[in-house]
Amino acid sequence: MPFVAFQIAMTLGRLAGDRVVDRFGGVAVARAGAALAAVAMSTALLIAHPVAAVVGYAVTGLGVATLFPLGFAAAGRVPGVRPGDGIAVVGWLARLGFLTFPPLIGLVADRVSVGAGLVLVPIAAVAAMLLAGALRPARTLRT
């Protein structure tokens, strides 16, 4: 159920995300969403109850919903890089992350505990919050 709640909330967040980003800006939405995800997942892990897990995963899904689209949009605006090339690099890095992060969580879960493995999720969310400034469009020099 937590994974289903995550996916449903992420879908709803993506459907509403453009309007929220248009209103508040990509960097602010990414920072707030990543912070929300970090707090939600940390709280779910601390409470360690099935209902907290479902709610925590749902709120985490809502929080991270705009990060992926914002990353692709930023990759398409890198000065001096063709949009397709920037997007291809971000897509490749995303696949690399999707292939390495879940096994890393599983490795920590096998060696320590499932809770310890899942602590990597709020840590990653904090990293996303700190790196959100990279989503800001680069300023170009006027000549």
Side-chain angles (χ1 to χ4, degrees), residues 2-140:
F3 181 71
V4 172
F6 178 90
Q7 291 297 322
I8 290 170
M10 181 181 275
T11 300
L12 295 174
R14 291 236 175 123
L15 291 172
D18 285 342
R19 287 182 290 281
V20 176
V21 169
D22 288 345
R23 180 167 181 165
F24 299 106
V27 173
V29 171
R31 281 193 178 130
L36 182 66
V39 169
M41 193 63 158
S42 296
T43 302
L45 290 169
L46 288 171
I47 293 174
H49 187 275
V51 173
V54 173
V55 173
Y57 273 66
V59 175
T60 298
L62 188 62
V64 301
T66 60
L67 294 180
F68 199 69
L70 286 170
F72 273 113
R77 294 189 309 261
V78 175
V81 177
R82 294 182 306 186
D85 292 343
I87 291 168
V89 169
V90 167
W92 183 82
L93 290 171
R95 281 192 178 89
L96 184 64
F98 293 148
L99 291 173
T100 57
F101 198 67
L104 178 61
I105 291 171
L107 180 68
V108 173
D110 282 347
R111 306 266 175 170
V112 183
S113 71
V114 173
L118 289 173
V119 165
L120 295 174
V121 175
I123 291 171
V126 169
M129 184 179 66
L130 296 173
L131 295 170
L135 298 171
R136 186 173 287 114
R139 295 183 184 191
T140 56

